[in-house]
Amino acid sequence: MATTSSPAVGTRRFPAKLLLGLGIVLVLLGPALYVVQLRAKILTVPWYALAVGTAGVALLLLAALRRPSVWRIGALAVAGLVTGAEWYFVLSLSTVPAYTGPVEAGVAFPPFRTTLADGSVFNQDSMRGDQNTALVFFRGRW
Amino acid sequence: MTELGELERHHEEFARRNTRVVVASLEGTEDAKKTQADFPHLVVVADAQRGLSSVADAIHPRSGPERGDTSAPATLLVDRHGTVRWEYRPARFLTRLSPQELLAAIDQHVADSR
């Protein structure tokens, strides 16, 4: 009885070309979703974008292992660099130094002196009076 | 500036809680004037001399343009007696409080907010 050889089930279901395409889409999807998030004015760490990008790199790696080619290895290298940079930005560059100051809940705000936009003085006494104060530090106009 | 726009948009809800929103950065008076014009219901502090930011330890070194210092995002609730009631300091500058979260914190931590 004659037999025919066929590709392994996993290879047939997920050919390298499909893995490559899916990987590229996932790597691009992370930043695209973050843009959508920012437009929705939601200011949180986009962990999902990192996860999606990493999954994309994993698929590109699988594609390159399954059928190595210059294109697949190049795509893997570029995607790896982009996703690595995203992880570095979130885990290192965006990290704020640990707080070591004197401000503490339940304690009077320490003495200070600064100015408002109109040049008038703003100090600890300015936060006493009829109203409560929500003091928000923002990064600036840039 | 997204953060300030959202705070400005909810200014009536802060007013209902007898709370004014004071926003501070390390920028000078000229930039602060522009920010004040853009967000008239917020109180803008020009803290270029760092009198407030140093005390509040809200400075992120070398994280601004040209590796200059900038403000570390932080939100402090101070009651009308000048006592700190609550503070929020995210581990990463990508994270900020939403107005809804700040309003909830006011309701929870500032007893005479209404």
Coordinates of all heavy atoms in Angstrom, one line a residue, chain B residues 31-84:
Chain B
D31 N 5.4 80.4 31.1 CA 4.7 79.2 30.8 C 3.4 79.0 31.7 O 2.4 78.6 31.2 CB 5.6 78.0 30.9 CG 6.5 77.8 29.7 OD1 6.1 78.1 28.6 OD2 7.7 77.4 29.9
A32 N 3.6 79.4 32.9 CA 2.5 79.2 33.9 C 1.3 80.1 33.5 O 0.1 79.8 33.6 CB 2.9 79.6 35.3
K33 N 1.6 81.3 32.9 CA 0.5 82.2 32.5 C -0.2 81.6 31.3 O -1.5 81.7 31.3 CB 1.1 83.6 32.1 CG 1.5 84.5 33.2 CD 2.1 85.8 32.7 CE 2.4 86.7 33.9 NZ 3.2 87.9 33.5
K34 N 0.5 81.0 30.4 CA -0.2 80.3 29.3 C -1.0 79.2 29.8 O -2.2 79.0 29.3 CB 0.9 79.8 28.3 CG 1.7 80.8 27.6 CD 2.7 80.2 26.7 CE 3.7 81.2 26.2 NZ 4.9 80.6 25.6
T35 N -0.5 78.4 30.7 CA -1.3 77.3 31.3 C -2.5 77.8 32.0 O -3.6 77.3 31.9 CB -0.4 76.5 32.3 OG1 0.8 76.0 31.6 CG2 -1.2 75.3 32.8
Q36 N -2.4 78.9 32.7 CA -3.5 79.5 33.4 C -4.6 80.0 32.4 O -5.8 79.8 32.7 CB -3.1 80.7 34.3 CG -4.1 81.3 35.2 CD -4.6 80.3 36.3 OE1 -3.9 80.1 37.3 NE2 -5.7 79.6 36.1
A37 N -4.1 80.5 31.3 CA -5.1 81.0 30.3 C -5.8 79.8 29.7 O -7.0 79.9 29.4 CB -4.4 81.8 29.2
D38 N -5.1 78.7 29.5 CA -5.7 77.5 28.9 C -6.7 76.8 29.9 O -7.7 76.2 29.4 CB -4.6 76.5 28.5 CG -3.8 77.0 27.4 OD1 -4.2 77.9 26.6 OD2 -2.7 76.4 27.2
F39 N -6.4 76.9 31.2 CA -7.2 76.2 32.1 C -7.6 77.2 33.3 O -7.1 77.1 34.4 CB -6.4 75.0 32.7 CG -5.9 74.1 31.7 CD1 -4.5 74.1 31.4 CD2 -6.7 73.2 30.9 CE1 -4.0 73.3 30.4 CE2 -6.1 72.4 30.0 CZ -4.8 72.5 29.7
P40 N -8.6 78.0 33.0 CA -8.9 79.1 33.9 C -9.5 78.7 35.2 O -9.5 79.5 36.2 CB -10.0 79.9 33.1 CG -10.5 79.0 32.1 CD -9.4 78.0 31.7
H41 N -10.0 77.5 35.3 CA -10.6 77.1 36.6 C -9.6 76.4 37.5 O -9.9 76.0 38.6 CB -11.8 76.2 36.4 CG -13.0 76.9 35.7 ND1 -13.2 76.9 34.4 CD2 -13.9 77.7 36.2 CE1 -14.2 77.6 34.1 NE2 -14.7 78.1 35.2
L42 N -8.4 76.2 37.0 CA -7.3 75.6 37.9 C -6.5 76.8 38.4 O -6.4 77.8 37.8 CB -6.5 74.6 37.1 CG -7.2 73.5 36.3 CD1 -6.2 72.7 35.5 CD2 -8.1 72.7 37.2
V43 N -5.8 76.5 39.5 CA -4.8 77.5 40.1 C -3.5 77.0 39.7 O -3.0 75.9 40.1 CB -5.0 77.6 41.6 CG1 -4.0 78.6 42.1 CG2 -6.4 78.0 42.0
V44 N -2.7 77.8 38.9 CA -1.5 77.4 38.3 C -0.3 77.9 39.1 O -0.2 79.2 39.3 CB -1.3 77.7 36.8 CG1 0.0 77.3 36.3 CG2 -2.5 77.1 36.0
V45 N 0.6 77.1 39.6 CA 1.8 77.5 40.3 C 3.0 77.4 39.4 O 3.2 76.5 38.6 CB 2.1 76.5 41.5 CG1 3.4 76.8 42.1 CG2 1.0 76.6 42.5
A46 N 3.8 78.5 39.4 CA 5.0 78.6 38.6 C 6.2 78.3 39.6 O 6.6 79.2 40.3 CB 5.2 80.0 38.0
D47 N 6.6 77.0 39.6 CA 7.5 76.6 40.7 C 9.0 76.4 40.1 O 9.6 75.5 40.5 CB 7.0 75.3 41.4 CG 7.7 75.1 42.7 OD1 8.0 76.1 43.4 OD2 7.9 73.9 43.1
A48 N 9.4 77.4 39.3 CA 10.7 77.3 38.7 C 11.8 77.3 39.8 O 12.9 76.7 39.7 CB 10.9 78.4 37.7
Q49 N 11.5 78.0 40.9 CA 12.5 78.1 42.0 C 12.4 76.8 42.9 O 13.2 76.7 43.9 CB 12.2 79.3 42.9 CG 12.3 80.6 42.1 CD 13.7 80.8 41.4 OE1 14.7 80.5 42.0 NE2 13.6 81.2 40.1
R50 N 11.4 76.0 42.7 CA 11.3 74.6 43.3 C 11.0 74.7 44.8 O 11.2 73.8 45.6 CB 12.6 73.8 43.2 CG 13.0 73.7 41.7 CD 14.2 72.9 41.5 NE 14.5 72.8 40.1 CZ 15.2 71.8 39.5 NH1 15.7 70.8 40.3 NH2 15.5 71.8 38.3
G51 N 10.4 75.9 45.3 CA 10.1 76.0 46.7 C 9.1 75.0 47.1 O 9.1 74.4 48.2
L52 N 8.1 74.7 46.3 CA 7.0 73.7 46.6 C 7.5 72.3 46.2 O 7.3 71.4 47.0 CB 5.8 74.1 45.8 CG 4.6 73.1 45.9 CD1 4.2 72.8 47.3 CD2 3.4 73.6 45.1
S53 N 8.0 72.2 45.0 CA 8.3 70.8 44.5 C 9.4 70.1 45.4 O 9.4 68.9 45.5 CB 8.8 70.9 43.1 OG 7.8 71.5 42.3
S54 N 10.4 70.9 45.9 CA 11.4 70.3 46.7 C 10.8 69.8 48.0 O 11.1 68.7 48.4 CB 12.5 71.4 47.1 OG 13.1 71.7 45.9
V55 N 9.9 70.6 48.6 CA 9.3 70.2 49.9 C 8.4 68.9 49.7 O 8.4 68.0 50.5 CB 8.5 71.3 50.5 CG1 7.5 70.8 51.5 CG2 9.4 72.4 51.1
A56 N 7.7 68.9 48.5 CA 6.8 67.8 48.2 C 7.6 66.6 47.6 O 7.0 65.6 47.4 CB 5.7 68.2 47.3
D57 N 8.9 66.8 47.4 CA 9.7 65.8 46.7 C 9.0 65.3 45.5 O 8.9 64.1 45.2 CB 9.9 64.6 47.7 CG 11.1 63.7 47.2 OD1 11.9 64.1 46.4 OD2 11.1 62.5 47.6
A58 N 8.7 66.2 44.6 CA 8.0 65.9 43.4 C 8.8 66.3 42.2 O 8.4 67.0 41.3 CB 6.6 66.6 43.3
I59 N 10.1 66.0 42.2 CA 11.0 66.3 41.1 C 11.6 65.0 40.5 O 12.0 64.1 41.2 CB 12.2 67.2 41.6 CG1 11.6 68.5 42.1 CG2 13.2 67.5 40.5 CD1 12.6 69.5 42.8
H60 N 11.5 64.9 39.2 CA 12.0 63.8 38.5 C 13.3 64.2 37.8 O 13.2 64.9 36.7 CB 11.0 63.2 37.5 CG 11.4 61.9 36.9 ND1 10.6 61.2 36.0 CD2 12.5 61.1 37.1 CE1 11.2 60.1 35.7 NE2 12.3 60.0 36.3
P61 N 14.5 63.9 38.3 CA 15.7 64.5 37.7 C 16.0 63.9 36.3 O 15.7 62.8 36.0 CB 16.8 63.9 38.7 CG 16.1 63.5 39.9 CD 14.8 63.1 39.5
R62 N 16.5 64.8 35.5 CA 16.9 64.5 34.1 C 15.9 63.8 33.3 O 16.2 62.9 32.5 CB 18.2 63.7 34.2 CG 19.4 64.5 34.8 CD 20.6 63.7 34.9 NE 20.4 62.4 35.7 CZ 20.4 62.4 37.0 NH1 20.5 63.5 37.7 NH2 20.2 61.2 37.6
S63 N 14.6 64.1 33.4 CA 13.6 63.4 32.7 C 12.9 64.3 31.7 O 11.9 63.9 31.0 CB 12.6 62.7 33.6 OG 11.9 63.7 34.3
G64 N 13.3 65.6 31.7 CA 12.6 66.5 30.8 C 13.4 66.7 29.5 O 14.3 66.0 29.2
P65 N 12.9 67.8 28.7 CA 13.6 68.1 27.5 C 15.1 68.4 27.8 O 15.4 69.1 28.8 CB 12.9 69.3 27.0 CG 11.6 69.3 27.7 CD 11.8 68.6 29.0
E66 N 16.0 68.0 26.9 CA 17.4 68.2 27.1 C 18.0 67.8 28.4 O 18.8 68.4 29.0 CB 17.7 69.7 26.8 CG 17.3 70.2 25.4 CD 17.4 71.7 25.2 OE1 17.9 72.3 26.2 OE2 17.0 72.1 24.2
R67 N 17.4 66.7 28.9 CA 17.8 66.0 30.2 C 17.7 67.0 31.4 O 18.4 66.8 32.4 CB 19.3 65.6 30.1 CG 19.5 64.6 28.9 CD 18.9 63.3 29.2 NE 19.5 62.5 30.2 CZ 19.0 61.5 30.8 NH1 17.7 61.1 30.5 NH2 19.7 60.8 31.7
G68 N 16.8 67.9 31.3 CA 16.5 68.8 32.4 C 15.6 68.1 33.4 O 15.0 67.1 33.1
D69 N 15.5 68.6 34.6 CA 14.6 68.1 35.6 C 13.1 68.5 35.3 O 12.9 69.5 34.6 CB 14.9 68.6 37.0 CG 16.3 68.2 37.5 OD1 16.9 67.3 36.9 OD2 16.7 68.8 38.5
T70 N 12.2 67.7 35.7 CA 10.8 68.0 35.5 C 10.0 67.5 36.7 O 10.6 66.9 37.6 CB 10.3 67.3 34.2 OG1 9.0 67.8 33.9 CG2 10.2 65.8 34.3
S71 N 8.7 67.8 36.8 CA 7.9 67.4 37.9 C 7.7 65.9 37.9 O 7.4 65.4 36.8 CB 6.6 68.2 37.9 OG 6.8 69.5 38.2
A72 N 7.7 65.3 39.0 CA 7.3 63.9 39.1 C 5.8 63.9 39.4 O 5.3 64.6 40.3 CB 8.0 63.2 40.2
P73 N 5.0 63.2 38.6 CA 3.5 63.3 38.8 C 3.2 62.9 40.2 O 3.7 61.8 40.7 CB 3.0 62.3 37.8 CG 4.0 62.2 36.8 CD 5.3 62.4 37.5
A74 N 2.4 63.7 40.9 CA 1.9 63.3 42.2 C 0.7 64.1 42.5 O 0.5 65.2 41.9 CB 3.0 63.7 43.3
T75 N -0.2 63.6 43.3 CA -1.4 64.3 43.7 C -1.5 64.2 45.2 O -1.5 63.1 45.8 CB -2.6 63.7 43.1 OG1 -2.5 63.7 41.7 CG2 -3.9 64.5 43.5
L76 N -1.7 65.4 45.9 CA -1.8 65.5 47.3 C -3.1 66.1 47.7 O -3.5 67.1 47.0 CB -0.7 66.3 47.9 CG 0.7 65.9 47.5 CD1 1.8 66.9 48.1 CD2 1.1 64.5 47.9
L77 N -3.8 65.6 48.6 CA -5.1 66.3 49.1 C -4.8 66.9 50.4 O -4.3 66.3 51.4 CB -6.2 65.2 49.3 CG -6.9 64.7 48.0 CD1 -8.0 63.7 48.4 CD2 -7.4 65.9 47.2
V78 N -5.0 68.2 50.5 CA -4.8 69.0 51.7 C -6.1 69.6 52.2 O -6.8 70.2 51.4 CB -3.7 70.1 51.5 CG1 -3.4 70.9 52.7 CG2 -2.5 69.5 50.8
D79 N -6.5 69.4 53.4 CA -7.7 69.9 53.9 C -7.6 71.4 54.2 O -6.6 72.0 54.1 CB -8.3 69.1 55.1 CG -7.5 69.3 56.3 OD1 -6.7 70.3 56.4 OD2 -7.6 68.5 57.3
R80 N -8.7 72.0 54.5 CA -8.8 73.5 54.7 C -8.0 74.0 55.9 O -7.8 75.2 56.1 CB -10.2 74.0 54.6 CG -11.1 73.5 55.7 CD -12.5 73.8 55.5 NE -13.4 73.3 56.5 CZ -13.7 73.9 57.6 NH1 -13.2 75.1 57.8 NH2 -14.5 73.4 58.5
H81 N -7.6 73.0 56.7 CA -6.7 73.4 57.9 C -5.2 73.3 57.5 O -4.4 73.5 58.4 CB -7.0 72.5 59.1 CG -8.5 72.5 59.4 ND1 -9.1 73.6 59.9 CD2 -9.4 71.5 59.3 CE1 -10.4 73.4 60.1 NE2 -10.6 72.1 59.8
G82 N -4.9 72.9 56.3 CA -3.5 72.7 55.9 C -2.9 71.4 56.2 O -1.7 71.2 56.1
T83 N -3.7 70.4 56.5 CA -3.2 69.1 56.8 C -3.3 68.2 55.6 O -4.4 68.1 55.0 CB -4.0 68.5 58.0 OG1 -3.9 69.3 59.1 CG2 -3.5 67.1 58.4
V84 N -2.3 67.5 55.4 CA -2.3 66.5 54.2 C -3.2 65.4 54.6 O -3.1 64.8 55.7 CB -0.8 66.0 54.0 CG1 -0.9 65.0 52.8 CG2 0.1 67.1 53.6

